Structure formats: structure tokens, C-alpha cells
């Protein structure tokens, strides 16, 4: 598994056909290529923004295949292989390794509140398949598992985790881990903390909004992490945050799909139980996008 990841890692949406029965594979290929052409550094296939709980194992495997094929050699592919079913997670990891993904993102089984020893045992099984340490998807609000800084250091020391997609409820640990060379590499995983975590030295982020506003996300990364131009970064953030905030308040995945359609890349509606954004919210999103200077999305063939 790749030991160095940086930049905007886009947790891309999964496009469905109109009836929601199947993945729209052609639209997914166009989406991946448009991400590549917009300068996105890597994509996550079958992540949370990609509605992984509503996908079958076979569908998730197909997403890995299309992402690897469409990304070419300019963009990394991260396969999210986490599942509430351990056997499914191991099956997904086997397939991801087979098709040649660059890295794996793993959320722990999230119905039961696992003990730390359970986490170690589960990740050890994944790593034996992946061939190297993975990205740990830390989302305590879902897993009900609050991993400490010391435990994260242990996971890195034992060769289980190289990076953490950091979506915590308390950012004190985030700041400590960013300063701890023995901890896994922090990737910003929470939209409200994106600016602060990048500014404090995180090499990149994993977020979903970059599916439909990739250029703003890449510009923020470039101003902070490449140019070290904080004033310019804040100006980008002033355009980006109103979009992120609107999504967080009004239905993230549904509005990301609506935003993609507004910009000219239709990805269908979310799968049940998620409902499409109502017309009123779509119209309000258009206004927010226009105020941030966001117009049509350049599309790949």
C-alpha cells in the first residue's frame, strides 16, 4: 500500500440509474476522469459520500475496477473496504488488492461498540490482505469508538495504520496527533476543520464536496500547502465554506448530487433511504454556488 498520500482526496459520489436499481457505470467513468482533469490528487471509491451502506459487495468491487481504469497514472485510487460484516470487508480488500488500488480506507464494523483489541484483530486481517498499513477511517459518531492518541500510535507502530481519515468529535486529539511524529499521518476528514487542519500541517484531506467543486478544493490546498499564502487561502475559504456549510445543514449527499447536476454532470439521485434534495433546496444551492463564483464544470469525455 502507498505510504505517501497528499492533496485533495475526493470521496466521490456513486451515480445511479434513474430507477436507482444499478450503478451508472458510464457516468462514474466520466466523474473519475473529470476529477483527474480538475487536478484532484486521489479518489475514494465506495466511501461514505459514495453511499457504501446502500451498495452490494459486487457493486463496490465494480466501482474499484472502474476507478482504477478511469484514473490513469495521474491520480491515485483509494478503495474503501470497510463494512459492518467482517467477511465482506475481507472480500472487498482481496478484490481491491487484485485490481491494483493504491491504498485502502477502512472503517471498523460499526453496529457493536468494539474494544481496542477487537480493532487490532480486525485490522490485522485486513493488512494481511492489503500487504501494508491502511488508512483508518475514524468516525466516532458512527462507530461509537473513540480511539485515543496512544492507541493510534500503537496501530502505527504495529504496522496496521499509516494514515487516519480524521473525523472526530473532539479536535484536541487532532492537533496533538499533527504534532506527534509517532502517530499516523492525519488527513482532514471533516469539512468544518478542513482549513485549520491543512494549515496545521496535514498533507491532505478526504472529503466529499470535491466531487462537484473540485477546483475550489484544489485551489485551497494549493494556496495553503504549496504556496503557503495564508491570505489567499482565506479568500478561497470564504468562497468554499458557504457551500460546505449549506450542505452540512441541509443534506450532504443529496446536495452533492444536486450540485453535480447543476454544474452539468448528472449522477442521478441518492439511493433509498436517502431522498433527493427538494426543488427549493436546489434553487438555494444554485444561489450559493453563483455567489461563490462556481459555474459549469468542465467535463471529461
Amino acid at each position: 500500500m502507498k505510504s505517501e498520500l497528499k492533496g485533495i482526496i475526493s470521496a466521490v459520489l456513486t451515480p445511479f440509474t434513474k430507477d436507482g436499481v444499478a450503478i451508472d457505470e458510464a457516468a462514474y467513468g466520466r466523474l473519475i476522469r473529470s476529477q483527474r482533469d480538475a487536478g484532484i490528487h486521489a479518489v475514494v471509491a465506495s466511501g461514505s459520500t459514495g453511499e457504501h451502506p446502500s451498495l452490494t459487495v459486487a457493486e463496490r468491487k465494480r466501482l474499484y475496477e472502474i476507478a482504477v481504469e478511469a484514473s490513469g497514472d495521474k491520480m491515485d485510487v483509494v478503495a474503501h473496504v470497510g463494512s459492518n460484516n467482517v467477511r465482506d470487508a475481507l472480500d472487498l480488500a482481496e478484490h481491491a488488492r487484485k485490481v491494483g488500488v493504491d491504498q485502502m480506507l477502512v472503517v471498523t464494523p460499526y453496529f457493536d461498540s468494539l474494544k481496542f483489541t477487537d480493532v487490532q484483530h480486525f485490522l490485522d486481517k485486513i493488512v494481511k490482505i492489503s500487504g501494508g498499513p491502511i488508512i483508518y477511517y475514524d468516525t466516532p459518531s458512527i462507530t461509537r469508538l473513540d480511539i485515543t492518541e496512544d492507541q493510534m500510535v500503537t496501530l502505527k507502530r504495529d504496522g496496521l495504520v499509516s494514515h487516519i481519515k480524521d473525523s472526530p468529535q473532539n479536535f484536541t486529539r487532532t492537533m496533538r496527533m499533527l504534532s506527534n511524529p509517532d502517530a499516523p499521518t492525519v488527513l482532514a476528514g471533516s469539512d468544518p476543520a478542513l482549513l485549520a487542519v491543512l494549515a496545521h500541517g496535514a498533507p491532505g484531506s478526504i472529503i466529499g464536496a470535491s466531487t462537484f467543486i473540485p477546483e475550489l478544493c484544489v485551489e485551497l490546498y494549493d494556496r495553503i500547502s504549496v504556496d503557503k499564502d495564508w491570505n489567499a487561502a482565506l479568500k478561497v475559504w470564504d468562497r468554499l465554506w458557504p457551500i460546505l456549510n449549506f450542505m452540512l445543514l441541509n443534506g450532504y449527499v443529496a446536495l452533492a448530487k444536486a450540485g453535480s447536476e447543476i454544474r452539468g454532470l448528472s449522477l442521478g439521485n441518492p439511493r433509498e433511504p436517502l431522498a433527493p434534495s427538494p426543488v427549493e433546496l436546489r434553487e438555494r444551492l444554485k444561489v450559493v454556488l453563483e455567489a461563490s463564483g462556481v459555474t459549469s464544470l468542465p467535463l471529461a469525455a
Side-chain angles (χ1 to χ4, degrees), residues 237-251:
W237 184 247
D238 285 343
R239 297 168 58 206
L240 178 58
W241 172 244
I243 303 171
L244 302 179
N245 190 44
F246 187 78
M247 294 169 66
L248 290 165
L249 290 172
N250 295 292

Side-chain angles (χ1 to χ4, degrees), residues 138-201:
D138 187 56
T139 176
S141 63
I142 302 296
T143 62
R144 294 180 293 169
L145 180 64
D146 197 4
I147 300 286
T148 68
E149 180 184 358
D150 286 344
Q151 288 171 332
M152 282 295 177
V153 168
T154 297
L155 293 177
K156 180 182 177 182
R157 183 201 66 203
D158 292 348
L160 300 177
V161 172
S162 58
H163 301 72
I164 172 175
K165 180 188 185 296
D166 189 59
S167 305
Q169 294 172 309
N170 184 332
F171 286 99
T172 302
R173 189 202 62 180
T174 302
M175 294 299 108
R176 289 174 177 156
M177 287 180 60
L178 284 165
S179 302
N180 186 345
D182 296 323
T185 300
V186 173
L187 298 169
S190 171
D191 292 37
L194 178 61
L195 175 70
V197 174
L198 287 177
H200 278 81

Side-chain angles (χ1 to χ4, degrees), residues 94-161:
E94 290 271 13
H95 192 74
R97 178 83 185 271
K98 178 181 175 182
V99 301
V101 302
D102 297 284
Q103 194 31 293
M104 296 185 200
L105 172 68
V106 184
V107 69
T108 58
Y110 40 83
F111 184 79
D112 297 309
S113 297
L114 302 185
K115 296 181 173 62
F116 183 61
T117 52
D118 299 325
V119 173
Q120 291 172 299
H121 182 67
F122 170 68
L123 292 180
D124 183 64
K125 286 179 175 287
I126 296 286
V127 167
K128 282 177 179 173
I129 295 170
S130 68
I134 53 83
I135 306 170
Y136 182 86
Y137 188 170
D138 187 56
T139 176
S141 63
I142 302 296
T143 62
R144 294 180 293 169
L145 180 64
D146 197 4
I147 300 286
T148 68
E149 180 184 358
D150 286 344
Q151 288 171 332
M152 282 295 177
V153 168
T154 297
L155 293 177
K156 180 182 177 182
R157 183 201 66 203
D158 292 348
L160 300 177
V161 172

Side-chain angles (χ1 to χ4, degrees), residues 211-225:
T211 292
F212 80 101
I213 44 172
E215 71 277 33
L216 271 181
C217 297
V218 170
E219 187 178 358
L220 181 72
Y221 171 79
D222 285 345
R223 298 295 83 77
I224 294 177
S225 301

Side-chain angles (χ1 to χ4, degrees), residues 12 54 64 156 190 257 261:
V12 293
S54 73
Y64 305 159
K156 180 182 177 182
S190 171
K257 286 202 162 177
E261 186 172 6

